[in-house]
């Protein structure tokens, strides 16, 4: 009986941890980790708590997960994007908030979903820095073969662009349309 109960409980706790990470409930995530939940637990789309915390801009939760062994280069399908890593997701959320050069007021959506704060660029920078310090690969390509650098350049997030370049991002990687971060920069 125990061989069925324990895996089921861990799976339930894993899904709870994903939800807690998305809402920035760091203490609840810590509790789940202390109870033995794998920091790299993935849902059916490959999404991890680290991805969800990065998407929400919750630096403390991201740090905790990384300290407890969360691997930053796992790819999952989150927010309509395929093959995304926590680094891309963090940058992409800023992109979503500035799509087409216009800030998008998402606070109502975040508040309705239970988020404690709106996402901001400072959180994205700090999360990207932490992810890079813990081995995130800035050259992984996600949806439409965009890298984190291409997304940051496209949105004019200069501090994040500098951080990614210092972290080893290759400005010559092409997206699906054959455009590089350099081409996006030249078009600005």
């Amino acid at each position: 009986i125990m061989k069925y109960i324990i895996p089921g409980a861990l799976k339930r706790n894993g899904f709870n941890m994903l939800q807690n990470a998305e809402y920035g409930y760091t203490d609840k995530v810590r509790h789940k980790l202390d109870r033995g939940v794998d920091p790299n637990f993935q849902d059916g789309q490959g999404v991890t708590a680290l991805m969800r915390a990065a998407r929400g801009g919750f630096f403390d939760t991201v740090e905790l997960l990384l300290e407890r062994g969360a691997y930053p280069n796992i790819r999952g399908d989150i927010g309509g994007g395929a093959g995304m890593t926590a680094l891309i997701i963090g940058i992409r959320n800023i992109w979503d908030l500035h799509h087409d050069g216009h800030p998008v007021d998402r606070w109502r959506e975040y508040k309705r979903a239970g988020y404690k704060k709106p996402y901001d660029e400072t959180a994205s920078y700090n999360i990207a820095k932490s992810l890079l310090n813990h081995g995130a690969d800035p050259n992984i390509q996600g949806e439409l073969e965009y890298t984190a650098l291409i997304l940051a350049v496209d949105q004019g997030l200069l501090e994040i662009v500098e951080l990614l370049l210092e972290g080893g991002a290759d400005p010559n990687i092409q997206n699906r349309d054959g455009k590089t971060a350099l081409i996006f920069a030249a078009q600005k």
Side-chain angles (χ1 to χ4, degrees), residues 96-99 102-112 118-119:
D96 286 345
L97 294 175
H98 293 84
H99 190 62
H102 302 290
V104 178
D105 181 9
R106 295 274 174 103
W107 174 234
R108 287 184 189 160
E109 292 177 37
Y110 284 117
K111 190 174 180 182
R112 187 173 31 240
Y119 200 84

Side-chain angles (χ1 to χ4, degrees), residues 141 144-154 170-188:
Q141 294 173 284
L144 304 177
E145 298 181 20
Y146 274 57
T147 62
L149 181 61
I150 291 173
L151 291 172
V153 166
D154 189 39
D170 181 352
N172 297 306
I173 293 175
Q174 296 180 0
N175 71 359
R176 187 170 71 183
D177 298 326
K179 293 184 178 181
T180 66
L182 295 171
I183 291 172
F184 279 98
Q187 294 173 341
K188 289 286 175 187

